[in-house]
Amino acid sequence: MLTLTHDAVQVIRTVTADPQLPPESGIRIQAGVNGSDTLQLSVAPAPEAGDKVVEEEGARVYLEPTTAAMLDEMTLDAKVDPQGDVAFTLADTAAEA
């Protein structure tokens, strides 16, 4: 199952803290369109039917089923640059051990 770093948890909680979003909001990761190798990340008000849910310290990540299998044994990290732009990265959990 996908794991989250402390930085990823903090960024996800900040991004989903908008009072206009429902309390169960999270980040949804899904495969790119048309068989693309890229992943799409978006803020989601709730998981979609069939999504796998990763929750850690109040940060929620919703994974489309195919993406969940693809990201098994991966770690999601996040960094914020001085301009406030967020970059999410994935790393193989086994390689970090």
Side-chain angles (χ1 to χ4, degrees):
M1 181 67 83
L2 178 72
T3 58
L4 310 176
T5 66
H6 175 74
D7 289 341
V9 167
Q10 297 305 313
V11 168
I12 293 167
R13 286 172 54 187
T14 299
V15 168
T16 59
D18 184 333
Q20 295 180 350
L21 293 172
E24 62 276 3
S25 295
I27 299 294
R28 185 164 196 272
I29 303 174
Q30 64 186 21
V33 294
N34 299 328
S36 167
D37 287 342
T38 62
L39 295 173
Q40 295 179 334
L41 188 140
S42 60
V43 175
E48 292 185 13
D51 279 357
K52 304 292 183 193
V53 179
V54 176
E55 185 170 357
E56 195 167 317
E57 298 176 37
R60 289 174 203 81
V61 177
Y62 306 128
L63 302 168
E64 173 269 326
T66 304
T67 304
M70 206 169 68
L71 299 183
D72 193 34
E73 304 299 322
M74 300 288 280
T75 298
L76 181 67
D77 193 14
K79 299 290 182 219
V80 181
D81 70 18
Q83 291 77 34
D85 295 324
V86 176
F88 285 95
T89 56
L90 288 164
D92 188 342
T93 303
E96 295 179 354

